[in-house]
Every structure is written in structure tokens, then in C-alpha cells.
Amino acid sequence: MTERLKEICANLPVCECLADVGCDHGYCTRYAFDGGLCKKAYISDISAGSLAKAEKLLKREIGEGRCVPCLGDGMQKIGPCDCVLIAGMGGEEIVRILSERALPARFVLQPMRNSEKVRAFLLSRGAKIERDYTFADGKYYYDLITGAGTGGDSYSEYEILFGRENLKTLPDAFCQRLFGEREKIKQRMMRSMSLNSRAELVRRLSVLEVVTDAVEGNL
């Protein structure tokens, strides 16, 4: 199991029924069953090949009727559940899937990009974000967002862009990614590009420099 999957699994809550959307090989659901974190689970994937691998890994639970495989897109074929796990997808895709029904009691989300869109969506639906931080797996950085479907919360503009927990606790992975992005943008701005592209980089750099200046003041 990769460090990314270990981090995700470590944040899975105890629940009655877990929905592992885009389950891939089924490792997270396997972890949940082995750790007694859920009594039942749905495993869903749009890829028949991936779902077949997950079915093999969870053959015992499927045979017992405790795990239900669903071949399809998003949550269309998933029954009632109190915790939804969606990992390894883009933020826009996660928002689309969660928009299909009411938010679950609990959620564990690991967007590959556009995390700010996931945060904004959750807050607009009255969710309570409990964990929201950046972690590393080798040279790659990921965001993990967990919480409850009710409870409500409000974020500032910068908290939506970067995550409240990141800005409060300044984890190493967050700082490394933040300063790394700033330097990459500075390098890119030395190349020729369209006026629109340069303006977009200038806007992003101005936001990054506000946050990096604040971070440097706290290090």
C-alpha cells in the first residue's frame, strides 16, 4: 500500500456502511473491514478491470453479502451509506459525484487537483470540514479533506484556496508545495507567453506571495 493510501486509510471513521467510490483495487475498503471500521461497504468503479481486482480482494465479504460491487459512474448504483470515500479524482469530478444526492453523514475526500472547489462546494452544502491538510508521498503532494455532512462552517477566501488547517498548522508538505509553486511560476514568467497567460500567472503569484510572506513570518 502506498503512503497516499495509508494516509487516506488512517482517516477513515467508524461507520455502519462505507461507500468507496472509484475504489480502484479496493485497498481502502479492505483496510476498513480488517480494522472493524464498517459493517457493510459498497465498492464502485467505472472501470470493469479495476472493479474485478477489488472484487477479488474482497471476495469473502462479497460472498457474505457485506460488500456490494457496483460497476458504474459515481454513486448512481450505491445504496444508503453513512460514509463516502472518494480518492484519486479531480476536485470537479468529486463535486459532480457528491452533487448526485444529499451529503453523507461522514466524508473522506482526496482530490488530485482543484481542492478549493471541493471546499467551496462542501461549505455551500452546509458541511463541517474537520481535517483539511496537505501531505506528501515521495515528490507528490496531496490534499485530504474529511468531515461531516452537517454542522456548517464558513471559510475565508484564503482558507478556501489553501485549507484552514494548512494555514493554521503549516505542515511541511504544505509549505514545500507552496514555495515550490511560487518558484515554478517565477520561472515560467521568464518565458514568452500570451498576455492572458501572463496575467493569470501574475494573479496566482500575487495570491501565493501573500500566503508565503505570512508563512515566512511564522517560521
Side-chain angles (χ1 to χ4, degrees):
M1 185 181 289
T2 65
E3 292 302 315
R4 181 179 74 89
L5 289 179
K6 288 178 182 177
E7 192 74 24
I8 294 167
C9 288
N11 282 274
L12 290 174
V14 176
C15 62
E16 287 292 317
C17 182
L18 170 69
D20 187 350
V21 182
C23 64
D24 197 27
H25 291 53
Y27 293 134
C28 293
T29 302
R30 177 76 274 157
Y31 178 95
F33 274 124
D34 289 347
L37 299 178
C38 66
K39 296 178 181 178
K40 180 180 179 179
Y42 290 94
I43 51 172
S44 170
D45 206 288
I46 199 169
S47 165
S50 292
L51 187 62
K53 293 175 182 177
E55 289 176 305
K56 183 177 180 181
L57 185 66
L58 296 156
K59 181 179 179 180
R60 182 180 71 245
E61 286 78 13
I62 292 172
E64 296 170 348
R66 296 193 296 133
C67 184
V68 181
C70 305
L71 179 62
D73 182 31
M75 299 181 67
Q76 294 175 359
K77 298 182 178 180
I78 291 175
C81 55
D82 58 328
C83 181
V84 172
L85 164 65
I86 309 178
M89 298 185 193
E92 292 179 339
E93 183 72 359
I94 291 175
V95 168
R96 181 187 67 80
I97 291 170
L98 290 176
S99 298
E100 295 174 357
R101 60 170 76 177
L103 288 179
R106 307 289 306 175
F107 54 81
V108 178
L109 310 172
Q110 188 269 294
M112 300 297 281
R113 56 192 174 276
N114 295 324
S115 299
E116 71 282 358
K117 294 184 178 182
V118 177
R119 296 183 187 105
F121 168 77
L122 292 170
L123 296 170
S124 74
R125 294 286 291 268
K128 173 69 175 179
I129 297 175
E130 296 173 354
R131 298 294 317 272
D132 182 2
Y133 66 96
T134 302
F135 67 96
D137 182 354
K139 63 179 181 179
Y140 299 104
Y141 300 102
Y142 305 98
D143 289 322
L144 190 68
I145 303 171
T146 75
T150 59
D153 207 347
S154 61
Y155 270 32
S156 69
E157 176 186 355
Y158 283 95
E159 287 172 336
I160 289 175
L161 288 173
F162 298 101
R164 175 177 291 172
E165 185 173 346
N166 279 333
L167 295 176
K168 283 187 173 182
T169 65
L170 303 179
D172 289 343
F174 169 68
C175 294
Q176 290 164 7
R177 184 173 68 177
L178 191 70
F179 287 101
E181 183 184 357
R182 185 183 68 176
E183 293 310 308
K184 286 179 181 178
I185 289 178
K186 288 181 177 179
Q187 291 297 319
R188 286 174 61 190
M189 290 181 67
M190 297 174 67
R191 308 170 193 165
S192 61
M193 64 185 72
S194 69
L195 290 177
N196 286 340
S197 295
R198 185 170 296 279
E200 184 60 35
L201 287 179
V202 169
R203 283 193 292 270
R204 179 62 177 176
L205 183 60
S206 66
V207 171
L208 287 171
E209 288 187 329
V210 169
V211 180
T212 53
D213 286 349
V215 169
E216 287 175 327
N218 283 280
L219 293 179

